[in-house]
Amino acid sequence: MGWKEELASLTQNRNTPSKLRFDEPLSKYNYFGIGGNAAAYFEVSTTDELAHVARLKKRRSVPVAIIGRGSNLLVSDAGYPGIVIRLSGDFNRLEFDRNRVEVGAGVSLPRLSKIAASHGLSGVEFALGIPGSVGGALIMNAGAWGSSFGDLVERVQVMTDKGEFVNLSHDDAQFSYRHSGLRSYFCVTGATLTLTHGDAGEVENLMQDLYNQKITSQPFAEENAGCMFKNPSGHSAGKLIDECGLKGHRIGGAEVSKIHGNFILNLNSATAHDVLSLVRHIQDHVKRERGVDLEMEVQLLGF
Ligand code: EPU
């Protein structure tokens, strides 16, 4: 039996809400709307199934990628030759105990922000405008308006490549700007966050204000993957790109946003190749004109 048959046997004739598809277009599962097919796409809803995939990966050397909600991702035009996983079901848990929140890695940041606000809990107001998952936010230490997700984390739950859970402390997770040490595990499965009790109306207002600031200073109508580059120390990548006159620059169907220089838009059926050509063009230009290296923030899959 090949790995695909073994994977199929995980869901066949079993009462599971998980979805498994072979040769599935990945453009449906990322905010850029770009990318070829995955050999297998698996929406995993139970911890048992996830542990099976972890062991399958190790035993059969099948490539496995966990894509979160695909909001910070550029998928290759050639697709992905292994199993692409998105967490659902058990991984969408959200439980409050006073100012502590147990949150599954599959929960979307806007959902977490809204529900925390309805409990009068402050700390995640910044995340309403970030369309990613909690798992992705943990791995990338996502942030906005001076707040970073890692700052809220008390513990992180991860799964090893043996399919076993490990609980990590905040320090074990090694958070720094748009980075963590969590990538070395098979999968991040959830976290315990510590929020602060506040006034529900004030939390709601702050959350809406930050959201409004985002939609007025960043593009939101066109397909994009958020900020393309990390901010180099002491600089704003968007401002550097703007000052180099690159806003509106186009390669194929990809364009540098005219609103914010650090966003690339899929305006007209852009390919991943168009986007990466534009990325290289920006990097070369900014290096030549300003002497600064821009490092990609958006994650690559299948290259
Ligand atoms: N600016 C320009 N031109 C531009 C873009 C920005 O002059 O085209 C100027 C702005 O006017 C402002 C300064 O540059 O004075 C900084 O801009 P902004 O406030 O938009 O912040 P940023 O450093 O570009 C960071 C995060 C964003 C986050 C915003 C808001 C990174 C790479 N970017 O952007 O995060 O939403 O702050 O807090 O850290 C993301 O990570 O995907 C992302 C979008």
Side-chain angles (χ1 to χ4, degrees), residues 71-72 126 129-130 140-147 177-178 210 213-214 217-218 224-232 235-243 247 256-263 297-298:
S71 60
N72 194 45
F126 72 92
I130 305 178
M140 288 300 298
N141 192 14
W145 320 114
S147 303
Y177 170 67
R178 296 295 192 271
L210 296 179
Q213 277 185 57
K214 182 181 168 88
S217 63
Q218 298 177 3
N224 70 77
C227 285
M228 277 317 284
F229 302 100
K230 295 182 184 181
N231 279 344
H235 292 278
S236 155
K239 193 160 186 252
L240 286 171
I241 295 165
D242 189 359
E243 288 167 353
K247 274 176 160 176
V256 180
S257 164
K258 293 180 181 120
I259 299 174
H260 193 298
N262 202 3
F263 286 70
E297 186 201 297
V298 168

Side-chain angles (χ1 to χ4, degrees), residues 65-107:
I66 294 141
I67 58 165
R69 301 185 80 80
S71 60
N72 194 45
L73 189 68
L74 178 64
V75 179
S76 144
D77 298 316
Y80 187 71
I83 307 167
V84 168
I85 288 189
R86 184 164 166 155
L87 301 176
S88 65
D90 289 356
F91 304 98
N92 282 335
R93 71 182 187 281
L94 194 51
E95 284 157 29
F96 290 83
D97 177 15
R98 283 159 299 177
N99 66 327
R100 280 215 176 81
V101 192
E102 294 284 337
V103 62
V107 171

